[in-house]
């Protein structure tokens, strides 16, 4: 069967850690639904009054912020007016001011150094300092905001893959790593080995960053199995 293992909301967890945004850190450490929690904060409603539509809007904002989304881009996603989208973003930054601080700091670092870094120290060079084209500068700034987060997530899953491969070879397991897609790993596993393999892979994935990073949020790996990839999701 196919075993799908993916990191749950790893990029949101990483931005909460990097920005030291305490309310988001608390939500992740307490196992609270982060999109429900965000919706409650930015729409000023109790969690009991958050509809699925509001939760979806909060999810779009949560992930959009990571990519430096504009009010225009968010309005397109949410099918709302630019004014409403701008208000959502403003409300988000009012509730999570350290996320805004992170974004401003990372842009300053980009113009000062010409690169940004993942938490592992891997550099991403973005040549933008002398470019007068505002569209190109805005795109570069969005890249700079996202690169340390997405880059760190990539570093972590690569470490996990190496550690899992070493474990498979050392223990001579009949398990194959088939595919890596963003924050997901797909395995081919004998049906009677699924439970044991899931336990081992989850432990390795969730601890992959620990030797190097002291993250202030837990990494969580979710599992799914099936005869095909759709079922495994």
């Amino acid at each position: 069967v196919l075993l799908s293992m993916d990191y749950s909301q790893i990029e949101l967890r990483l931005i909460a850690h990097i920005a030291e945004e305490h309310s988001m850190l608390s939500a992740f450490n307490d196992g609270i639904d982060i999109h429900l929690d965000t919706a409650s904060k930015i729409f000023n409603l109790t969690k009991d009054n958050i509809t699925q539509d509001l939760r979806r809007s909060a999810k779009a904002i949560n992930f959009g912020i990571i990519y430096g989304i504009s009010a225009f881009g968010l309005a397109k996603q949410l099918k709302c007016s630019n004014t409403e989208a701008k208000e959502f973003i403003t409300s988000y930054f009012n509730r999570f001011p350290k996320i805004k601080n992170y974004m401003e700091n990372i842009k300053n670092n980009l113009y000062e150094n010409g690169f940004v870094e993942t938490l592992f120290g891997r550099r991403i060079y973005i040549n933008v300092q002398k470019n007068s084209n505002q569209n190109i500068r805005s795109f570069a700034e969005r890249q700079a905001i996202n690169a340390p987060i997405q880059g760190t997530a990539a570093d972590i899953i690569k470490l996990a893959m190496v550690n899992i491969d070493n474990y498979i070879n050392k223990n001579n397991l009949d398990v194959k790593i088939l595919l890596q897609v963003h924050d997901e790993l797909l395995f081919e596993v004998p049906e009677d080995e699924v439970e044991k393999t899931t336990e081992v892979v989850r432990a390795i994935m969730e601890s992959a960053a620990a030797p190097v990073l002291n993250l202030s949020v837990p990494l969580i790996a979710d599992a799914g199995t099936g005869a095909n990839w759709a079922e495994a999701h």
Side-chain angles (χ1 to χ4, degrees):
V1 296
L2 296 182
L3 168 64
S4 167
M5 299 288 299
D6 72 291
Y7 282 114
S8 172
Q9 301 166 337
I10 187 170
E11 293 179 358
L12 292 180
R13 292 170 188 270
L14 289 173
I15 196 169
H17 168 81
I18 292 169
E20 298 179 347
E21 183 51 71
H22 298 298
S23 57
M24 288 182 77
L25 293 174
S26 296
F28 281 124
N29 282 303
D30 293 340
I32 294 169
D33 180 332
I34 191 66
H35 303 311
L36 188 65
D37 188 62
T38 298
S40 174
K41 287 182 169 67
I42 65 175
F43 299 122
N44 290 311
L45 294 169
T46 63
K47 289 175 186 174
D48 292 340
N49 290 317
I50 298 299
T51 64
Q52 281 302 310
D53 283 343
L54 288 178
R55 186 186 179 277
R56 273 193 291 273
S57 294
K59 183 176 180 179
I61 296 166
N62 268 331
F63 285 109
I65 292 297
I66 292 174
Y67 294 94
I69 199 165
S70 64
F72 175 78
L74 185 62
K76 206 170 175 184
Q77 273 195 38
L78 298 181
K79 296 181 173 59
C80 67
S81 70
N82 284 1
T83 302
E84 284 178 300
K86 191 173 182 180
E87 286 172 0
F88 290 154
I89 292 172
T90 299
S91 178
Y92 183 95
F93 287 136
N94 286 340
R95 291 293 184 172
F96 304 112
K98 290 199 170 183
I99 302 291
K100 179 70 171 175
N101 292 344
Y102 159 75
M103 293 170 72
E104 292 305 318
N105 289 339
I106 209 75
K107 285 190 278 188
N108 291 337
N109 289 344
L110 170 65
Y111 286 109
E112 186 177 334
N113 302 317
F115 64 84
V116 293
E117 291 183 324
T118 73
L119 291 181
F120 290 85
R122 187 159 58 86
R123 291 182 178 181
I124 301 94
Y125 287 89
I126 304 171
N127 186 16
V128 70
Q129 289 97 324
K130 295 179 182 177
N131 202 305
S132 59
N133 185 308
Q134 186 54 46
N135 288 333
I136 292 175
R137 290 169 74 89
S138 295
F139 179 71
E141 288 172 3
R142 291 196 296 274
Q143 278 186 299
I145 289 165
N146 178 246
I149 304 159
Q150 200 170 57
T152 298
D155 291 340
I156 290 171
I157 201 164
K158 294 299 189 295
L159 278 174
M161 288 172 71
V162 170
N163 293 341
I164 291 165
D165 188 58
N166 288 340
Y167 185 92
I168 289 170
N169 292 330
K170 184 178 178 182
N171 294 277
N172 200 28
L173 301 182
D174 187 19
V175 175
K176 294 180 178 67
I177 304 177
L178 296 184
L179 204 60
Q180 179 244 329
V181 182
H182 303 301
D183 55 6
E184 177 186 5
L185 296 177
L186 194 67
F187 301 86
E188 190 178 80
V189 184
E191 200 163 0
D192 59 353
E193 293 288 325
V194 168
E195 193 174 331
K196 182 182 174 184
T197 303
T198 300
E199 191 179 306
V200 167
V201 169
R202 177 178 282 124
I204 293 173
M205 288 178 70
E206 292 182 351
S207 63
V212 182
L213 303 178
N214 184 24
L215 293 177
S216 43
V217 287
L219 296 181
I220 304 294
D222 294 329
T225 58
N228 56 55
W229 199 7
E231 283 183 15
H233 273 236

